[in-house]
Amino acid sequence: MKLSKRLTQIERMVTPGYSHIWDCCCDHGHLGAALLSHSSAQIHFVDIVPALITELENRLQQHYPDLAERWTPHCLDVAALPLEQHSSRQLIIIAGVGGDLIKQFVSAIQQTHMGLSLDFLLCPVHHQFALRQTLIELNFSLKDEALIEENHRFYEIMLVSSESDSGRPISPVGDTLWQAHSEDQQSIIQRYLQTTLNHYQRMQQGSSVDVSHIIEAYRAIND
Protein backbone atom coordinates (compact mmCIF):
# COMPACT_ATOMS: atom_id res chain seq x y z
CA MET A 1 0.00 0.00 0.00
CA LYS A 2 1.27 3.47 -0.90
CA LEU A 3 2.21 5.44 2.19
CA SER A 4 0.92 8.95 2.86
CA LYS A 5 3.36 11.85 2.58
CA ARG A 6 3.66 11.97 6.38
CA LEU A 7 4.39 8.26 6.78
CA THR A 8 6.80 8.35 3.82
CA GLN A 9 8.82 11.09 5.52
CA ILE A 10 8.83 9.15 8.80
CA GLU A 11 10.03 6.04 6.95
CA ARG A 12 12.84 8.05 5.31
CA MET A 13 14.08 9.15 8.73
CA VAL A 14 14.49 5.57 9.99
CA THR A 15 18.26 5.13 9.78
CA PRO A 16 19.91 1.70 9.42
CA GLY A 17 21.30 -0.18 12.41
CA TYR A 18 18.27 -0.81 14.61
CA SER A 19 17.59 -4.37 15.72
CA HIS A 20 14.09 -3.61 17.00
CA ILE A 21 11.64 -0.97 15.77
CA TRP A 22 8.43 -0.29 17.68
CA ASP A 23 5.63 1.18 15.54
CA CYS A 24 3.40 2.60 18.27
CA CYS A 25 -0.22 3.73 17.88
CA CYS A 26 0.19 1.82 14.62
CA ASP A 27 -3.48 1.99 13.58
CA HIS A 28 -3.59 -0.17 10.44
CA GLY A 29 0.15 -0.90 10.45
CA HIS A 30 1.01 0.70 7.10
CA LEU A 31 4.28 2.22 8.33
CA GLY A 32 5.44 -0.95 10.08
CA ALA A 33 4.61 -3.00 6.99
CA ALA A 34 6.71 -0.69 4.82
CA LEU A 35 9.59 -0.98 7.29
CA LEU A 36 9.21 -4.75 7.21
CA SER A 37 9.91 -4.63 3.49
CA HIS A 38 12.85 -2.20 3.68
CA SER A 39 14.53 -2.95 7.01
CA SER A 40 16.17 -6.02 8.52
CA ALA A 41 14.94 -5.08 12.01
CA GLN A 42 12.37 -6.91 14.09
CA ILE A 43 9.19 -4.84 13.69
CA HIS A 44 6.84 -4.55 16.66
CA PHE A 45 3.30 -3.31 15.95
CA VAL A 46 1.80 -1.67 19.05
CA ASP A 47 -1.73 -0.44 19.68
CA ILE A 48 -3.96 -0.49 22.74
CA VAL A 49 -7.13 -1.31 20.75
CA PRO A 50 -7.61 -5.12 20.65
CA ALA A 51 -9.72 -5.12 17.49
CA LEU A 52 -7.06 -3.20 15.56
CA ILE A 53 -4.30 -5.58 16.63
CA THR A 54 -6.40 -8.66 15.75
CA GLU A 55 -7.19 -7.22 12.32
CA LEU A 56 -3.55 -6.25 11.81
CA GLU A 57 -2.25 -9.69 12.78
CA ASN A 58 -4.61 -11.32 10.29
CA ARG A 59 -3.39 -8.97 7.56
CA LEU A 60 0.26 -9.64 8.38
CA GLN A 61 -0.32 -13.38 8.30
CA GLN A 62 -1.96 -12.97 4.90
CA HIS A 63 0.62 -10.67 3.27
CA TYR A 64 3.86 -11.42 5.12
CA PRO A 65 3.77 -15.13 6.08
CA ASP A 66 7.38 -15.58 4.92
CA LEU A 67 8.51 -12.79 7.28
CA ALA A 68 6.53 -14.01 10.30
CA GLU A 69 9.67 -14.34 12.40
CA ARG A 70 10.33 -10.60 11.94
CA TRP A 71 6.99 -9.09 13.03
CA THR A 72 5.24 -9.14 16.39
CA PRO A 73 1.88 -7.51 17.22
CA HIS A 74 1.40 -6.19 20.77
CA CYS A 75 -1.88 -5.06 22.33
CA LEU A 76 -0.58 -2.83 25.10
CA ASP A 77 -0.04 0.69 26.38
CA VAL A 78 2.93 2.43 24.75
CA ALA A 79 4.21 3.35 28.22
CA ALA A 80 4.58 -0.38 28.97
CA LEU A 81 6.81 -1.48 26.08
CA PRO A 82 8.98 -4.47 27.13
CA LEU A 83 12.19 -2.78 25.97
CA GLU A 84 14.29 -4.41 28.68
CA GLN A 85 14.02 -7.71 26.80
CA HIS A 86 16.44 -6.39 24.18
CA SER A 87 19.89 -4.89 24.70
CA SER A 88 20.54 -3.97 21.04
CA ARG A 89 19.64 -0.66 19.38
CA GLN A 90 15.93 0.13 19.47
CA LEU A 91 13.79 2.78 17.78
CA ILE A 92 10.39 3.79 19.11
CA ILE A 93 8.10 5.49 16.60
CA ILE A 94 5.11 7.41 17.99
CA ALA A 95 2.94 9.24 15.47
CA GLY A 96 -0.66 10.24 14.93
CA VAL A 97 -1.38 11.38 18.50
CA GLY A 98 -1.00 14.69 20.30
CA GLY A 99 2.19 16.06 21.78
CA ASP A 100 0.78 15.95 25.30
CA LEU A 101 0.19 12.20 25.04
CA ILE A 102 3.62 11.65 23.44
CA LYS A 103 5.14 13.56 26.37
CA GLN A 104 3.55 11.10 28.78
CA PHE A 105 4.71 8.09 26.78
CA VAL A 106 8.31 9.26 26.38
CA SER A 107 8.62 10.34 30.02
CA ALA A 108 7.24 7.00 31.26
CA ILE A 109 9.50 4.99 28.94
CA GLN A 110 12.56 7.00 29.94
CA GLN A 111 11.81 6.64 33.64
CA THR A 112 11.34 2.87 33.34
CA HIS A 113 14.37 2.26 31.10
CA MET A 114 16.99 4.67 32.37
CA GLY A 115 19.81 2.25 31.54
CA LEU A 116 18.91 1.84 27.87
CA SER A 117 20.05 4.08 25.03
CA LEU A 118 16.88 4.63 22.99
CA ASP A 119 15.97 6.60 19.90
CA PHE A 120 12.50 8.05 19.38
CA LEU A 121 10.95 9.12 16.08
CA LEU A 122 8.05 11.41 16.99
CA CYS A 123 5.35 13.06 14.90
CA PRO A 124 2.79 14.86 17.09
CA VAL A 125 -0.42 16.19 15.55
CA HIS A 126 -0.27 19.24 17.85
CA HIS A 127 1.40 20.62 21.02
CA GLN A 128 4.83 20.49 19.40
CA PHE A 129 6.30 23.21 21.62
CA ALA A 130 5.23 21.45 24.83
CA LEU A 131 6.68 18.16 23.58
CA ARG A 132 9.99 19.81 22.73
CA GLN A 133 10.12 21.36 26.21
CA THR A 134 9.75 17.91 27.76
CA LEU A 135 12.47 16.45 25.54
CA ILE A 136 14.78 19.29 26.61
CA GLU A 137 13.97 18.66 30.27
CA LEU A 138 14.80 14.97 29.76
CA ASN A 139 18.18 16.05 28.33
CA PHE A 140 17.52 14.31 25.01
CA SER A 141 19.55 15.18 21.90
CA LEU A 142 18.45 15.82 18.32
CA LYS A 143 19.44 13.50 15.47
CA ASP A 144 17.17 14.83 12.70
CA GLU A 145 13.98 16.79 12.16
CA ALA A 146 11.69 17.67 9.27
CA LEU A 147 8.58 19.68 8.46
CA ILE A 148 5.95 18.53 5.97
CA GLU A 149 2.47 19.57 4.89
CA GLU A 150 -0.21 17.00 4.14
CA ASN A 151 -3.91 17.64 3.51
CA HIS A 152 -3.57 21.26 4.64
CA ARG A 153 -2.01 20.24 7.97
CA PHE A 154 1.57 20.71 9.08
CA TYR A 155 3.64 18.06 10.84
CA GLU A 156 6.95 18.29 12.66
CA ILE A 157 8.87 15.02 12.70
CA MET A 158 11.71 14.62 15.21
CA LEU A 159 14.31 11.89 15.52
CA VAL A 160 15.77 12.21 19.02
CA SER A 161 18.01 10.19 21.31
CA SER A 162 17.77 9.59 25.04
CA GLU A 163 21.54 10.08 25.12
CA SER A 164 22.62 13.62 25.91
CA ASP A 165 24.81 15.35 23.32
CA SER A 166 25.78 18.98 23.95
CA GLY A 167 26.56 19.35 20.26
CA ARG A 168 23.02 18.41 19.19
CA PRO A 169 20.60 20.14 21.56
CA ILE A 170 16.86 20.17 20.91
CA SER A 171 15.48 23.63 20.13
CA PRO A 172 12.14 24.65 21.71
CA VAL A 173 10.90 25.75 18.27
CA GLY A 174 13.01 23.62 15.97
CA ASP A 175 16.23 24.31 14.13
CA THR A 176 17.00 22.55 10.85
CA LEU A 177 13.32 22.14 9.99
CA TRP A 178 13.28 25.87 9.13
CA GLN A 179 15.98 25.41 6.47
CA ALA A 180 14.46 25.21 2.99
CA HIS A 181 16.06 23.41 0.05
CA SER A 182 13.38 24.36 -2.49
CA GLU A 183 10.83 27.08 -3.17
CA ASP A 184 8.01 24.71 -2.25
CA GLN A 185 9.60 23.94 1.10
CA GLN A 186 10.20 27.64 1.75
CA SER A 187 6.50 28.26 1.15
CA ILE A 188 5.57 25.47 3.59
CA ILE A 189 7.95 26.89 6.21
CA GLN A 190 6.58 30.42 5.97
CA ARG A 191 2.95 29.29 6.10
CA TYR A 192 3.64 27.01 9.06
CA LEU A 193 5.43 29.77 10.92
CA GLN A 194 2.58 32.23 10.34
CA THR A 195 -0.05 29.63 11.30
CA THR A 196 1.83 28.86 14.51
CA LEU A 197 2.26 32.53 15.41
CA ASN A 198 -1.43 33.19 14.75
CA HIS A 199 -2.36 30.28 17.03
CA TYR A 200 -0.31 31.53 19.98
CA GLN A 201 -1.34 35.14 19.46
CA ARG A 202 -5.00 34.11 19.66
CA MET A 203 -4.19 32.09 22.76
CA GLN A 204 -2.47 35.09 24.35
CA GLN A 205 -5.50 37.31 23.73
CA GLY A 206 -8.13 34.88 24.95
CA SER A 207 -6.49 33.14 27.87
CA SER A 208 -5.01 33.82 31.27
CA VAL A 209 -2.00 31.67 30.28
CA ASP A 210 1.05 33.74 29.32
CA VAL A 211 2.52 32.43 26.06
CA SER A 212 4.48 35.57 25.19
CA HIS A 213 7.79 33.69 25.52
CA ILE A 214 6.57 31.17 22.91
CA ILE A 215 5.53 33.96 20.54
CA GLU A 216 8.93 35.64 20.91
CA ALA A 217 10.73 32.33 20.28
CA TYR A 218 8.90 31.82 16.99
CA ARG A 219 9.31 35.45 15.96
CA ALA A 220 13.06 35.10 16.42
CA ILE A 221 13.26 32.39 13.74
CA ASN A 222 13.43 34.91 10.90
CA ASP A 223 15.83 37.24 12.71
Side-chain angles (χ1 to χ4, degrees):
M1 178 173 289
K2 190 178 188 308
L3 293 181
S4 67
K5 185 176 180 181
R6 179 176 62 96
L7 292 182
T8 297
Q9 181 60 46
I10 293 173
E11 183 193 17
R12 283 182 188 145
M13 292 171 69
V14 177
T15 53
Y18 296 108
S19 297
H20 295 268
I21 298 175
W22 302 80
D23 179 13
C24 302
C25 309
C26 64
D27 197 15
H28 298 293
H30 297 155
L31 174 61
L35 292 171
L36 200 58
S37 302
H38 303 135
S39 167
S40 61
Q42 181 81 19
I43 308 297
H44 301 266
F45 296 82
V46 181
D47 205 292
I48 201 168
V49 181
L52 281 177
I53 289 298
T54 300
E55 178 188 342
L56 175 58
E57 184 169 10
N58 291 336
R59 194 179 308 120
L60 289 169
Q61 287 172 345
Q62 178 182 354
H63 295 289
Y64 300 96
D66 53 330
L67 298 176
E69 74 283 353
R70 285 193 36 235
W71 52 260
T72 310
H74 303 265
C75 184
L76 50 76
D77 190 320
V78 174
L81 299 181
L83 304 174
E84 70 286 345
Q85 295 178 4
H86 314 287
S87 57
S88 49
R89 286 189 69 206
Q90 300 184 68
L91 174 67
I92 300 150
I93 304 174
I94 311 175
V97 294
D100 283 350
L101 186 55
I102 295 179
K103 277 169 45 180
Q104 296 175 32
F105 287 151
V106 173
S107 297
I109 291 169
Q110 177 68 356
Q111 185 173 5
T112 306
H113 304 284
M114 294 286 286
L116 294 181
S117 174
L118 302 170
D119 287 352
F120 294 82
L121 187 48
L122 310 173
C123 182
V125 295
H126 44 59
H127 297 144
Q128 292 86 351
F129 188 90
L131 172 58
R132 286 176 174 273
Q133 286 292 111
T134 294
L135 296 175
I136 292 168
E137 291 165 9
L138 290 171
N139 212 21
F140 278 27
S141 59
L142 179 72
K143 302 188 82 167
D144 196 9
E145 61 183 0
L147 172 67
I148 66 151
E149 182 182 17
E150 179 183 71
N151 297 329
H152 308 293
R153 295 194 66 169
F154 299 98
Y155 297 95
E156 292 183 28
I157 307 170
M158 301 167 248
L159 177 61
V160 300
S161 171
S162 64
E163 289 189 340
S164 175
D165 182 349
S166 59
R168 294 303 310 272
I170 295 173
S171 163
V173 294
D175 183 12
T176 55
L177 65 84
W178 303 108
Q179 299 172 12
H181 302 290
S182 67
E183 288 187 10
D184 284 346
Q185 188 63 20
Q186 185 60 40
S187 173
I188 290 171
I189 286 170
Q190 290 305 317
R191 284 184 284 113
Y192 178 55
L193 180 57
Q194 192 57 56
T195 298
T196 303
L197 279 169
N198 291 345
H199 166 72
Y200 283 109
Q201 285 165 348
R202 286 194 302 271
M203 186 182 294
Q204 181 76 358
Q205 292 169 356
S207 171
S208 58
V209 179
D210 182 12
V211 294
S212 58
H213 64 293
I214 302 178
I215 294 170
E216 291 308 311
Y218 281 106
R219 281 178 174 163
I221 288 169
N222 283 332
D223 291 347

mmCIF file of all heavy atoms in Angstrom, residues 1 3 11 29-39 45 64:
data_model
loop_
_atom_site.group_PDB
_atom_site.id
_atom_site.type_symbol
_atom_site.label_atom_id
_atom_site.label_comp_id
_atom_site.label_asym_id
_atom_site.label_seq_id
_atom_site.Cartn_x
_atom_site.Cartn_y
_atom_site.Cartn_z
ATOM 1 N N MET A 1 0.844 -1.198 0.000
ATOM 2 C CA MET A 1 0.000 0.000 0.000
ATOM 3 C C MET A 1 0.879 1.248 0.000
ATOM 4 O O MET A 1 1.878 1.311 0.710
ATOM 5 C CB MET A 1 -0.918 0.012 1.229
ATOM 6 C CG MET A 1 -1.789 1.260 1.309
ATOM 7 S SD MET A 1 -3.008 1.186 2.628
ATOM 8 C CE MET A 1 -4.128 -0.028 1.966
ATOM 9 N N LEU A 3 2.248 4.679 0.945
ATOM 10 C CA LEU A 3 2.212 5.444 2.188
ATOM 11 C C LEU A 3 1.826 6.888 1.927
ATOM 12 O O LEU A 3 2.099 7.448 0.862
ATOM 13 C CB LEU A 3 3.590 5.417 2.855
ATOM 14 C CG LEU A 3 4.094 4.080 3.394
ATOM 15 C CD1 LEU A 3 5.463 4.265 4.031
ATOM 16 C CD2 LEU A 3 3.118 3.491 4.401
ATOM 17 N N GLU A 11 9.262 7.211 7.397
ATOM 18 C CA GLU A 11 10.032 6.037 6.949
ATOM 19 C C GLU A 11 11.433 6.447 6.504
ATOM 20 O O GLU A 11 12.417 5.774 6.803
ATOM 21 C CB GLU A 11 9.305 5.328 5.813
ATOM 22 C CG GLU A 11 10.009 4.055 5.359
ATOM 23 C CD GLU A 11 9.487 3.522 4.040
ATOM 24 O OE1 GLU A 11 8.814 4.272 3.310
ATOM 25 O OE2 GLU A 11 9.768 2.356 3.741
ATOM 26 N N GLY A 29 -1.151 -0.277 10.634
ATOM 27 C CA GLY A 29 0.150 -0.900 10.448
ATOM 28 C C GLY A 29 0.845 -0.621 9.134
ATOM 29 O O GLY A 29 1.786 -1.331 8.769
ATOM 30 N N HIS A 30 0.429 0.431 8.414
ATOM 31 C CA HIS A 30 1.014 0.697 7.098
ATOM 32 C C HIS A 30 2.498 1.036 7.196
ATOM 33 O O HIS A 30 3.308 0.566 6.377
ATOM 34 C CB HIS A 30 0.266 1.841 6.411
ATOM 35 C CG HIS A 30 -1.162 1.519 6.128
ATOM 36 N ND1 HIS A 30 -2.144 2.485 5.999
ATOM 37 C CD2 HIS A 30 -1.795 0.327 5.972
ATOM 38 C CE1 HIS A 30 -3.314 1.911 5.768
ATOM 39 N NE2 HIS A 30 -3.126 0.603 5.751
ATOM 40 N N LEU A 31 2.880 1.847 8.191
ATOM 41 C CA LEU A 31 4.284 2.222 8.333
ATOM 42 C C LEU A 31 5.135 1.006 8.683
ATOM 43 O O LEU A 31 6.180 0.760 8.068
ATOM 44 C CB LEU A 31 4.434 3.301 9.407
ATOM 45 C CG LEU A 31 5.874 3.695 9.753
ATOM 46 C CD1 LEU A 31 6.584 4.270 8.538
ATOM 47 C CD2 LEU A 31 5.891 4.687 10.908
ATOM 48 N N GLY A 32 4.700 0.238 9.672
ATOM 49 C CA GLY A 32 5.444 -0.946 10.077
ATOM 50 C C GLY A 32 5.596 -1.946 8.942
ATOM 51 O O GLY A 32 6.651 -2.571 8.784
ATOM 52 N N ALA A 33 4.551 -2.082 8.130
ATOM 53 C CA ALA A 33 4.613 -3.000 6.989
ATOM 54 C C ALA A 33 5.641 -2.533 5.974
ATOM 55 O O ALA A 33 6.389 -3.344 5.408
ATOM 56 C CB ALA A 33 3.238 -3.126 6.340
ATOM 57 N N ALA A 34 5.703 -1.233 5.742
ATOM 58 C CA ALA A 34 6.708 -0.693 4.822
ATOM 59 C C ALA A 34 8.110 -0.930 5.371
ATOM 60 O O ALA A 34 9.027 -1.293 4.623
ATOM 61 C CB ALA A 34 6.468 0.799 4.606
ATOM 62 N N LEU A 35 8.283 -0.742 6.665
ATOM 63 C CA LEU A 35 9.590 -0.979 7.288
ATOM 64 C C LEU A 35 9.958 -2.457 7.221
ATOM 65 O O LEU A 35 11.136 -2.805 7.091
ATOM 66 C CB LEU A 35 9.574 -0.501 8.742
ATOM 67 C CG LEU A 35 9.463 1.010 8.936
ATOM 68 C CD1 LEU A 35 9.243 1.342 10.403
ATOM 69 C CD2 LEU A 35 10.706 1.711 8.413
ATOM 70 N N LEU A 36 8.973 -3.311 7.309
ATOM 71 C CA LEU A 36 9.212 -4.753 7.213
ATOM 72 C C LEU A 36 9.827 -5.102 5.861
ATOM 73 O O LEU A 36 10.693 -5.985 5.756
ATOM 74 C CB LEU A 36 7.879 -5.489 7.397
ATOM 75 C CG LEU A 36 7.881 -6.965 7.788
ATOM 76 C CD1 LEU A 36 8.618 -7.188 9.097
ATOM 77 C CD2 LEU A 36 6.441 -7.450 7.903
ATOM 78 N N SER A 37 9.413 -4.376 4.845
ATOM 79 C CA SER A 37 9.910 -4.625 3.494
ATOM 80 C C SER A 37 11.291 -4.028 3.250
ATOM 81 O O SER A 37 12.039 -4.525 2.406
ATOM 82 C CB SER A 37 8.930 -4.049 2.463
ATOM 83 O OG SER A 37 7.640 -4.608 2.622
ATOM 84 N N HIS A 38 11.622 -2.949 3.984
ATOM 85 C CA HIS A 38 12.849 -2.201 3.677
ATOM 86 C C HIS A 38 13.901 -2.258 4.779
ATOM 87 O O HIS A 38 14.969 -1.688 4.629
ATOM 88 C CB HIS A 38 12.507 -0.732 3.402
ATOM 89 C CG HIS A 38 11.509 -0.547 2.301
ATOM 90 N ND1 HIS A 38 10.434 0.315 2.390
ATOM 91 C CD2 HIS A 38 11.397 -1.140 1.086
ATOM 92 C CE1 HIS A 38 9.722 0.249 1.287
ATOM 93 N NE2 HIS A 38 10.281 -0.618 0.482
ATOM 94 N N SER A 39 13.596 -2.907 5.886
ATOM 95 C CA SER A 39 14.529 -2.954 7.005
ATOM 96 C C SER A 39 14.730 -4.402 7.445
ATOM 97 O O SER A 39 13.856 -5.245 7.249
ATOM 98 C CB SER A 39 13.986 -2.122 8.179
ATOM 99 O OG SER A 39 14.699 -2.380 9.365
ATOM 100 N N PHE A 45 4.495 -4.121 16.199
ATOM 101 C CA PHE A 45 3.302 -3.307 15.952
ATOM 102 C C PHE A 45 2.558 -3.161 17.280
ATOM 103 O O PHE A 45 2.156 -4.159 17.885
ATOM 104 C CB PHE A 45 2.401 -3.980 14.926
ATOM 105 C CG PHE A 45 3.011 -4.111 13.558
ATOM 106 C CD1 PHE A 45 3.884 -5.156 13.261
ATOM 107 C CD2 PHE A 45 2.715 -3.201 12.561
ATOM 108 C CE1 PHE A 45 4.442 -5.287 12.004
ATOM 109 C CE2 PHE A 45 3.265 -3.324 11.283
ATOM 110 C CZ PHE A 45 4.133 -4.366 11.006
ATOM 111 N N TYR A 64 2.445 -11.244 4.788
ATOM 112 C CA TYR A 64 3.865 -11.422 5.122
ATOM 113 C C TYR A 64 4.115 -12.736 5.865
ATOM 114 O O TYR A 64 4.826 -12.762 6.864
ATOM 115 C CB TYR A 64 4.358 -10.248 5.981
ATOM 116 C CG TYR A 64 4.226 -8.910 5.297
ATOM 117 C CD1 TYR A 64 3.115 -8.094 5.542
ATOM 118 C CD2 TYR A 64 5.201 -8.454 4.409
ATOM 119 C CE1 TYR A 64 2.986 -6.866 4.916
ATOM 120 C CE2 TYR A 64 5.079 -7.229 3.782
ATOM 121 C CZ TYR A 64 3.968 -6.440 4.034
ATOM 122 O OH TYR A 64 3.842 -5.227 3.411
#
